């Protein structure tokens, strides 16, 4: 049983700490005192399926400062600096600096935060060695990137394979032993720089694939193809798996990590272009809405956005493409109303279903929450001003709405 201090108790750090605490003595550290006090009162600081029961039974002690431990696990965010298009490693550096006074010989430091390749060697080691302990000899260091998808975090943290790359084999082996306490998937061992790179290429693979789907959706509208049916058929090929188009890519990972690969090279044209295609989707949706208003002769429209979470069935709005969509609608001079039954806090006011739908000219379905699949066409008809819906996720059962006189426009269908 090791004493483990997890630094950063967010979407990844808290579930990791909770899972580790089933076999180890775990302390949590976060700079946000509200998060700390919620965890100490066994409350969830954010929603994640399955967390409520685990947090109720946990014996984790949270604080705003680290404690002396055998193992330190760094799970702080790595934001993307949009100005310079580079990873902002400020929080990782601060987290490493915060543990220096507590480091003793024999300690293991694991970085889970997403970082650019070479960061452990170039940034983490010089910081840790300010303790006068030598990394690889006195203390050990590895990168074990997280791979869990929000909404299924607990299942994936336990069942997914993991990549562990240490600065030397002792670091790798010590890390694998710690994670084996809760990971049922295979733990694959590699070197530290490859581990950093692998994390980034996983998310980049997904971003490029989504960009392809988005490009094909836009093309399909021009040549009168239903992209959703076409992708479904293409994916019947045993070696094809095209993802789904949509109003853009959000979240703290896929919308961000690919840029970490592009920051020091001009050899990543496909990666940069995919990011740009996905970032351009809100603007494409607005151009579709503009055409809808012009064809229907609607002036000074009211638009209702259904869903501002960055994806379906979660309450997380980080990097949500909805924000860009709302801003672009406002730039057109349209009145925007927002409804999201899952999200509690957002930059714009969140309205009740009735308030949001009342008198609107266009509902834009932005997120594939299950709640929207069950929309009552009659109820919507009784509230709206114009019976028009723009479905960016191909989520609605159209016949039901057509029966009530709606015109449904779908991304990727002309
Ligand atoms: N999206 C599409 N079309 C799709 C799938 C997703 O437009 O077919 C959009 C979503 O709506 C969302 C965005 O992409 O806006 C990202 O969603 P996601 O479900 O693809 O991924 P995340 O960001 O929630 O989690 C990803 C996962 N990475 C991979 O699947 C390779 C997860 O395993 C990582 O742990 C996580 O990033 C992370 O933290 O890096």
């Amino acid at each position: 049983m090791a004493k483990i201090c997890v630094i950063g108790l967010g979407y990844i750090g808290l579930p990791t700490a909770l899972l580790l605490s089933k076999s180890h003595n775990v302390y949590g550290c976060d700079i946000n005192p509200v998060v700390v006090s919620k965890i100490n009162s066994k409350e969830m600081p954010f929603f994640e399926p399955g967390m409520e029961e685990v947090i109720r039974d946990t014996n984790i002690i949270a604080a705003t400062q680290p404690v002396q431990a055998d193992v330190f696990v760094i799970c702080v965010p790595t934001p993307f600096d949009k100005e310079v298009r580079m990873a902002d490693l400020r929080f990782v550096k601060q987290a490493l600096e915060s543990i220096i006074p507590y480091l003793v010989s024999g300690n293991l430091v694991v970085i889970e935060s997403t970082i650019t390749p070479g960061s452990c060697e170039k940034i983490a080691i010089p910081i840790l060695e300010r303790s006068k302990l030598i990394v690889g000899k006195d203390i050990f260091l590895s990168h074990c990137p997280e791979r869990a998808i929000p909404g299924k975090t607990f299942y994936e943290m336990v069942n997914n394979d993991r990549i562990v790359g240490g600065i030397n084999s002792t670091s790798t082996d010590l890390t694998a032993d710690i994670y084996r306490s809760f990971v049922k998937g295979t733990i694959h061992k590699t070197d530290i720089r490859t581990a950093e790179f692998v994390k980034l290429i996983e998310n980049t693979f997904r971003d490029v694939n989504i960009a392809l789907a988005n490009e094909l959706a836009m093309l399909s509208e021009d040549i009168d193809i239903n992209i959703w049916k076409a992708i479904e058929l293409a994916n019947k090929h045993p070696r094809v798996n095209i993802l789904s188009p949509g109003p853009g890519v959000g979240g703290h990972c896929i919308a961000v990590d690919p840029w970490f690969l592009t920051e020091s090279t001009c050899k990543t044209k496909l990666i940069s272009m995919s990011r740009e295609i996905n970032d351009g989707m809100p603007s494409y949706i607005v151009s579709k809405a503009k055409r809808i208003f012009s064809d229907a002769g609607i002036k000074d429209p009211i638009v209702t956005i259904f869903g501002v979470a960055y994806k379906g069935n979660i309450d997380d709005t980080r990097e949500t493409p909805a924000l860009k969509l709302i801003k672009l609608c406002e730039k057109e001079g349209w009145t925007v109303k927002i409804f999201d039954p899952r999200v509690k806090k957002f930059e714009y006011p969140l309205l009740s279903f009735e308030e949001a739908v009342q008198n609107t000219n266009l509902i834009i379905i932005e997120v594939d929450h299950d709640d929207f699949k069950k929309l009552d066409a009659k109820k919507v008809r009784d509230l709206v001003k114009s019976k028009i819906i723009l479905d960016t996720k191909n989520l609605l059962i159209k016949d039901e709405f057509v029966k009530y006189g709606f015109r449904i426009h779908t991304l990727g269908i002309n």
Side-chain angles (χ1 to χ4, degrees):
M1 195 178 190
K3 184 171 173 187
I4 302 178
C5 179
V6 178
I7 317 279
L9 298 171
Y11 292 93
I12 296 301
L14 181 55
T16 303
L18 290 168
L19 289 169
L20 284 168
S21 74
K22 292 184 177 181
S23 321
H24 298 284
N25 196 0
V26 176
Y27 288 77
C29 167
D30 198 288
I31 51 168
N32 185 339
V34 178
V35 167
V36 165
S37 105
K38 282 206 167 164
I39 294 168
N40 287 336
S41 336
K42 300 188 188 294
E43 280 174 56
M44 289 194 291
F46 55 90
F47 176 75
E48 176 60 39
M51 177 145 60
E52 207 164 3
E53 307 86 79
V54 193
I55 208 165
R56 217 185 293 130
D57 297 337
T58 187
N59 51 6
I60 290 178
I61 298 168
T64 52
Q65 294 295 323
V67 292
Q68 200 146 45
D70 306 311
V71 182
F72 294 89
V73 182
I74 313 277
C75 299
V76 294
T78 348
F80 171 60
D81 186 333
K82 289 195 177 93
E83 294 295 309
V84 286
R85 287 195 169 181
M86 283 176 83
D88 176 357
L89 296 176
R90 196 173 3 146
F91 299 120
V92 175
K93 289 180 192 164
Q94 283 167 7
L96 289 165
E97 280 160 1
S98 76
I99 63 173
I100 294 173
Y102 304 94
L103 286 174
V104 294
S105 183
N107 277 170
L108 168 68
V109 179
V110 182
I111 300 182
E112 278 218 22
S113 309
T114 306
I115 44 183
T116 40
S119 298
C120 283
E121 291 146 291
K122 284 186 239 143
I123 294 167
I125 292 180
I127 294 177
L128 293 172
E129 290 193 342
R130 283 188 222 155
S131 66
K132 307 271 182 278
L133 296 158
I134 306 297
V135 174
K137 184 170 154 272
D138 304 321
I139 56 173
F140 303 94
L141 172 67
S142 61
H143 185 50
C144 180
E146 56 88 5
R147 279 181 149 180
I149 204 151
K152 274 195 193 169
T153 297
F154 283 94
Y155 176 84
E156 292 214 342
M157 276 188 176
V158 171
N159 292 288
N160 288 359
D161 285 7
R162 291 296 286 254
I163 308 296
V164 175
I167 201 72
N168 58 7
S169 59
T170 311
S171 303
T172 311
D173 293 344
L174 286 171
T175 308
D177 287 347
I178 292 292
Y179 279 78
R180 232 174 252 124
S181 70
F182 70 87
V183 173
K184 289 190 186 149
T186 306
I187 298 182
H188 303 272
K189 298 178 181 178
T190 183
D191 62 87
I192 205 156
R193 199 179 293 193
T194 305
E196 292 166 332
F197 188 68
V198 167
K199 166 69 195 182
L200 297 178
I201 65 172
E202 289 167 5
N203 282 349
T204 301
F205 164 78
R206 208 160 160 81
D207 198 43
V208 172
N209 193 334
I210 297 168
L212 172 66
N214 283 332
E215 190 166 274
L216 295 175
M218 294 185 278
L219 164 67
S220 298
E221 291 186 8
D222 290 348
I223 57 172
D224 219 358
I225 296 274
N226 177 331
I227 191 61
W228 305 89
K229 282 193 183 145
I231 289 179
E232 195 184 325
L233 291 173
N235 286 351
K236 302 282 180 206
H237 186 292
R239 283 176 296 282
V240 175
N241 182 21
I242 304 173
L243 289 170
S244 303
V249 167
H252 188 60
C253 309
I254 296 190
V256 170
D257 297 356
W259 288 125
F260 293 10
L261 288 174
T262 66
E263 67 179 45
S264 57
T265 177
C266 54
K267 293 179 180 165
T268 47
K269 288 198 197 79
L270 174 67
I271 299 172
S272 304
M273 186 154 291
S274 301
R275 273 287 62 248
E276 272 153 23
I277 291 170
N278 291 335
D279 277 353
M281 290 313 287
S283 146
Y284 187 74
I285 301 301
V286 168
S287 69
K288 259 181 102 64
K290 251 179 170 168
R291 256 194 328 273
I292 293 170
F293 294 137
S294 143
D295 291 350
I298 296 170
K299 301 236 171 356
D300 303 321
I302 301 176
V303 177
T304 301
I305 310 287
F306 265 36
V308 289
Y310 84 79
K311 66 175 181 179
N313 301 329
I314 59 168
D315 65 357
D316 187 344
T317 61
R318 288 177 298 167
E319 305 293 329
T320 176
L323 194 58
K324 194 162 179 190
L325 178 68
I326 293 162
K327 291 202 163 121
L328 288 169
C329 290
E330 285 187 335
K331 211 166 153 201
E332 293 296 329
W334 305 341
T335 303
V336 183
K337 301 203 280 181
I338 299 161
F339 173 60
D340 191 314
R342 307 229 172 196
V343 171
K344 307 276 172 307
K345 231 174 73 196
F346 191 56
E347 281 88 336
Y348 285 82
L350 295 160
L351 305 177
S352 69
F353 171 80
E354 279 76 14
E355 285 170 323
V357 176
Q358 185 88 51
N359 228 16
T360 196
N361 294 108
L362 176 71
I363 294 173
I364 302 182
I365 301 199
E366 225 272 342
V367 174
D368 45 355
H369 286 326
D370 286 346
D371 318 61
F372 302 151
K373 290 184 191 152
K374 300 177 219 133
L375 266 185
D376 181 339
K378 183 173 176 301
K379 210 167 146 196
V380 179
R381 184 206 57 189
D382 293 344
L383 290 164
V384 295
K385 187 165 182 187
S386 321
K387 288 179 275 182
I388 318 176
I389 299 180
L390 171 51
D391 184 354
T392 71
K393 299 298 282 186
N394 192 32
L395 159 141
L396 288 183
I397 300 164
K398 295 186 180 55
D399 293 351
E400 192 56 20
F401 281 84
V402 170
K403 204 168 84 191
Y404 283 97
F406 279 87
R407 257 176 302 147
I408 309 290
H409 301 263
T410 307
L411 172 66
I413 304 178
N414 190 2

